[in-house]
Amino acid sequence: MSFRSLPKVELHMHHEGAAPPEFIRRLAQEKSVNLSGVFSEDGSYAYRDFVHFLSVYEAATQVLQTPEDYARLTRAILEQSAEHGVIYAETFLSPDFCGGGDVGAWREYLHAIREAADEGERDTGVVLRGIVTCIRHFGPDRAKPIALCAAETAGDWIVGFGMGGDENKGKQADFGYSFDMAREAGLRLTTHAGEWRGPREVRDAIEDLGVERIGHGVRVIEDLALVDVLAERGIVLEVCPGSNVRLGVYPHLSAHPIEKLRERGVKVTISTDDPPFFHTTMTREYDNLARVFGWNEDDFLDLNRVAANAAFCDEATRARILERL
Ligand code: ADE
Ligand code: ZN
């Protein structure tokens, strides 16, 4: 049985990371951008490890040069999401790639993305919202203009602020200024933590940045007392099992802690992260979790309710999503 048509809520996906390789190749051809090293012989994205993945990701992103390119990508993402039963998604948008952190340029990109999302919602029924994201390995000084972009465009569509990138660089607290600015603008907060580093990062994310959701967070399992803190405080984990296995955080799905975290009362949700990079889809994630952990439709309904309740959208949108689950 496949879970393709089951309604799903996806909270953790990177906008550029959702671009199919064919989409990137087409744009590269149109713009005469040389993307040698980005693709393997079979046409999929080629990378050796996490740090190399980040550099291939950034190389592929070079072909996204205008607001219209992002509008096209947004339409492709919504079609892809609809094919896998997703009814609500939040994607990470990086003003670093959309206008280089300039607020005026970012507004133009956002306008195009939003128009494409509204049109896509009418066509596919998928509701999309954006989380502005700074990039950890670009450093705290570059995060400040990104937080300003987020603060200036906070509202009913840009609903959150977050951080992705190389967790092995610097510390969460270095980005406190940017997260404070976003919080003061009314944005909800999430950060990647506990994907590559251990529980200490997860603790820092909660204590130093005050986030209510954590991207990945899975290595918190190495400190059961902290697992209990997450459960008590209702901190939500945006778990991306296929990403973790592809990038080698865990050798295979049966070694993944998602089941243990859930059993211990942590609010877990399921996402794809960068689906074509990791040869995954929401359907594949669900099918694999069902096969390895025996989860059924009721389990997935529970998880999707958790995700809908943790979504950063307004209450009217949340009510519409919950009704469709
Ligand atoms: N950016 C895109 N995918 C990412 C991941 N899995 N971890 C950190 N940063 C990312
Ligand atoms: Zn991610």
Side-chain angles (χ1 to χ4, degrees):
M1 180 197 168
S2 167
F3 290 93
R4 181 181 284 266
S5 61
L6 191 80
K8 303 173 185 74
V9 173
E10 175 158 35
L11 300 180
H12 188 119
M13 180 167 46
H14 299 260
H15 217 77
E16 299 85 8
E22 314 78 63
F23 178 93
I24 294 294
R25 262 195 299 276
R26 194 174 324 120
L27 273 188
Q29 238 167 22
E30 284 174 24
K31 295 167 191 286
S32 306
V33 177
N34 176 5
L35 284 186
S36 57
V38 166
F39 302 111
S40 57
E41 270 178 20
D42 69 5
S44 59
Y45 292 112
Y47 53 88
R48 293 181 298 278
D49 53 27
F50 176 60
V51 171
H52 189 218
F53 155 77
L54 290 174
S55 83
V56 167
Y57 181 111
E58 283 161 28
T61 297
Q62 288 173 70
V63 306
L64 294 159
Q65 297 171 347
T66 66
E68 176 52 26
D69 296 338
Y70 270 84
R72 280 166 73 179
L73 174 57
T74 303
R75 287 192 281 274
I77 290 173
L78 287 189
E79 278 163 25
Q80 198 165 266
S81 293
E83 261 179 49
H84 293 282
V86 173
I87 59 169
Y88 176 88
E90 289 174 8
T91 59
F92 294 117
L93 286 160
S94 308
D96 275 297
F97 303 133
C98 301
D102 174 78
V103 174
W106 161 244
R107 281 189 193 282
E108 288 177 25
Y109 277 84
L110 180 58
H111 180 74
I113 292 166
R114 226 192 133 154
E115 265 193 355
D118 289 346
E119 183 194 305
E121 182 180 331
R122 285 192 296 275
D123 293 347
T124 65
V126 181
V127 177
L128 183 69
R129 294 291 182 266
I131 299 175
V132 169
T133 305
C134 64
I135 297 174
R136 183 157 168 170
H137 54 274
F138 291 174
D141 286 342
R142 267 181 71 181
K144 291 176 187 169
I146 304 308
L148 185 62
C149 287
E152 289 287 323
T153 53
D156 61 341
W157 203 85
I158 289 297
V159 292
F161 181 71
M163 176 161 66
D166 190 351
E167 192 184 348
N168 286 309
K169 298 273 162 35
K171 5 185 238 308
Q172 301 280 357
D174 299 341
F175 298 85
Y177 176 95
S178 295
F179 276 75
D180 286 347
M181 192 194 302
R183 181 187 300 102
E184 281 160 24
L187 289 163
R188 315 271 300 268
L189 305 177
T190 177
T191 186
H192 285 59
E195 179 188 16
W196 297 102
R197 282 183 173 168
R200 174 72 199 273
E201 273 293 320
V202 174
R203 186 181 293 279
D204 289 353
I206 301 166
E207 288 180 357
D208 297 340
L209 299 184
V211 297
E212 55 184 296
R213 288 188 351 211
I214 292 179
H216 301 284
V218 286
R219 288 197 52 198
V220 72
I221 198 68
E222 295 160 35
D223 178 348
L224 291 179
L226 188 57
V227 171
D228 293 341
V229 171
L230 293 193
E232 276 157 29
R233 294 201 198 165
I235 305 276
V236 172
L237 300 188
E238 305 153 5
V239 183
C240 308
S243 160
N244 295 151
V245 171
R246 274 279 166 176
L247 287 173
V249 180
Y250 298 102
H252 36 76
L253 188 55
S254 51
H256 195 284
I258 188 167
E259 165 90 323
K260 285 196 200 92
L261 289 164
R262 183 168 179 241
E263 276 171 6
R264 219 168 156 104
V266 177
K267 290 185 172 174
V268 299
T269 62
I270 303 160
S271 294
T272 55
D273 209 4
D274 307 284
F277 280 87
F278 305 136
H279 301 273
T280 193
T281 62
M282 282 294 268
T283 306
R284 202 165 283 175
E285 295 291 332
Y286 280 52
D287 288 350
N288 288 341
L289 289 163
R291 183 171 38 76
V292 171
F293 298 117
W295 291 359
N296 60 28
E297 238 177 85
D298 290 339
D299 292 304
F300 291 124
L301 178 61
D302 273 357
L303 295 172
N304 278 307
R305 285 197 180 122
V306 168
N309 282 311
F312 288 162
C313 60
D314 59 63
E315 292 311 315
T317 307
R318 189 188 324 287
R320 273 201 291 141
I321 301 306
L322 280 165
E323 249 174 42
R324 290 170 64 189
L325 288 178

